[in-house]
Amino acid sequence: MADDESIIEVSDATFESDVIYRSQSKPVVVDFWAPWCGPCRMLGPILEKLAADPSLDFILAKVNVDDNPQISMRYQVQGIPAVKAFVDGEIEDEFVGALPEARVRQFVEKLVPGEADLAYREANSLLATRHWGQAETAFRELLESYPQRNAAKLGLARSLLAQGLGCEAQALLKDIRQGSELVQAERLLPLANYLCTIDLVVDDLDSEPIEAQYRQAGRLLQRGNVEAAMDGFLDILRQDKQFRAGEPKHLMLGLFELLGDDDPLTESYRRELAMILF
C-alpha cells in the first residue's frame, strides 16, 4: 500500500475517529477488503492510486473485514470488495465489486468538491455571516465564470436584497425558471418587486397613513433595519390583513427566506405572523 497520509488502515476501535469524525472535513472512502479476496486485490491499487492524486482531496480508509467484524456487521457488508463513501458522518454513496479505474474515478469525483464548489461554499458562508457586500462580490465573480448557474443567480439576488437593492435582484430571480432554486426564487420575488418599486414611488402627503407606513417599511429595509421593517409589516397586517391583497404577508415570508429558518428574527417573527393571521 502506498505510504501516504491520505491512505490509512482503520479498525473497529478507530472507525469513529478515523472515518466518522474525519468525514466532517473531507470525504472518506472506506474500502472493505480481505487478503484472500481476488477482486479486492484488483480494486485496492486503483483506490490507492486515486487517493494519492493531489487533485482528488479525499481519505482512503482500508478495513480488513477478517480482523474487524464489528464494523463490517454494523454496515452490513455481505460481499467484498465493498466501498462506502462517508461525508459529514453519513454514507453518501457506495458500490460493491471491482470496477474499472474510470468508473472508480467518477465515483470519487462526485464526492470531492471542485474549485467552483469551494467558491460557492465561501460565498454562502459570507451570506450566513451577513457580510452582504463581500457576498455580492463573490457571487458576481461566480456568475461571471458560470453565467447559467442558478445557484450563483440566487446567491447574488440574496446579497442584493439584504442590501435593499431590489431591481437587479428582481431580474436575477425572474431568470431562474427551473431547478431546485426555483422555489426559493419564487419566495424572494415579492420582496424584490417591492424594493424595486419603493424608489419609483413619490410620497403623497394626501395618501392614507397605512400606505405611508407601507412605504416607510421599505425605506427601513433599504437602510438595513430589517427588524423595524418587519414590525411595520406586522402592524399593517394588524390593521388590515387584506391590505394590497396580503402583500405584507408575502414580504414577511420573503424575509424569512432571505434570513433563513435558523435566524432568531425568523423564529420570533414567524410566531407573531401566525398569531396575527390565524
Side-chain angles (χ1 to χ4, degrees):
M1 185 174 64
D3 182 17
D4 194 294
E5 62 180 8
S6 63
I7 305 172
I8 58 176
E9 295 281 0
V10 177
S11 67
D12 287 338
T14 65
F15 193 88
E16 285 293 325
S17 60
D18 284 344
V19 174
I20 302 302
Y21 178 76
R22 287 198 187 196
S23 72
Q24 305 290 336
S25 57
K26 70 170 61 179
V28 178
V29 175
V30 182
D31 175 22
F32 292 90
W33 71 290
W36 47 264
C37 167
C40 297
R41 292 196 296 272
M42 296 172 58
L43 179 65
I46 293 174
L47 288 168
E48 291 166 15
K49 175 183 176 182
L50 295 177
D53 186 336
S55 69
L56 298 174
D57 190 19
F58 76 100
I59 296 170
L60 174 62
K62 308 277 290 184
V63 177
N64 185 325
V65 296
D66 289 344
D67 297 338
N68 302 281
Q70 293 179 10
I71 203 66
S72 302
M73 290 178 60
R74 174 179 169 182
Y75 289 101
Q76 300 178 342
V77 175
Q78 298 178 342
I80 55 173
V83 174
K84 300 180 187 292
F86 287 76
V87 176
D88 293 331
E90 302 289 340
I91 295 177
E92 179 75 10
D93 203 355
E94 59 188 318
F95 68 85
V96 177
L99 298 180
E101 181 175 337
R103 291 275 304 279
V104 181
R105 179 176 285 273
Q106 289 176 353
F107 174 86
V108 171
E109 286 177 342
K110 287 192 299 182
L111 305 168
V112 179
E115 184 176 343
D117 298 306
L118 294 173
Y120 277 117
R121 288 184 185 179
E122 176 62 25
N124 280 318
S125 70
L126 291 170
L127 278 182
T129 54
R130 300 193 179 189
H131 291 83
W132 310 124
Q134 292 173 262
E136 178 189 347
T137 300
F139 279 113
R140 285 194 187 282
E141 291 174 356
L142 276 167
L143 199 56
E144 185 175 340
S145 300
Y146 307 97
Q148 302 306 316
R149 292 282 185 93
N150 283 341
K153 296 174 187 176
L154 182 65
L156 178 55
R158 284 181 179 277
S159 64
L160 292 169
L161 289 173
Q163 298 175 81
L165 305 172
C167 294
E168 185 180 359
Q170 180 188 64
L172 289 162
L173 295 170
K174 285 182 176 179
D175 200 39
I176 299 174
R177 301 184 180 90
Q178 60 184 2
S180 59
E181 295 83 8
L182 178 59
V183 172
Q184 299 170 68
E186 289 175 339
R187 291 175 183 159
L188 290 169
L189 191 55
L191 184 60
N193 294 338
Y194 172 69
L195 288 170
C196 189
T197 59
I198 287 297
D199 286 333
L200 303 178
V201 176
V202 178
D203 287 331
D204 184 352
L205 296 177
D206 296 327
S207 63
E208 295 182 11
I210 195 170
E211 285 284 351
Q213 186 177 0
Y214 189 59
R215 291 196 293 274
Q216 176 60 18
R219 305 274 193 260
L220 290 168
L221 277 181
Q222 290 177 322
R223 293 198 291 269
N225 198 339
V226 177
E227 189 169 0
M230 284 180 157
D231 285 332
F233 292 139
L234 289 181
D235 192 45
I236 290 170
L237 288 169
R238 289 188 187 97
Q239 298 173 61
D240 182 1
K241 293 180 185 179
Q242 299 306 316
F243 177 76
R244 288 185 174 232
E247 277 186 14
K249 180 191 78 170
H250 295 295
L251 294 174
M252 291 292 290
L253 295 176
L255 287 168
F256 297 159
E257 177 67 33
L258 179 64
L259 296 172
D261 289 337
D262 296 331
D263 191 280
L265 286 179
T266 298
E267 296 175 358
S268 174
Y269 280 85
R270 181 172 278 148
R271 288 194 297 270
E272 289 197 45
L273 179 63
M275 290 174 63
I276 292 170
L277 296 178
F278 306 109

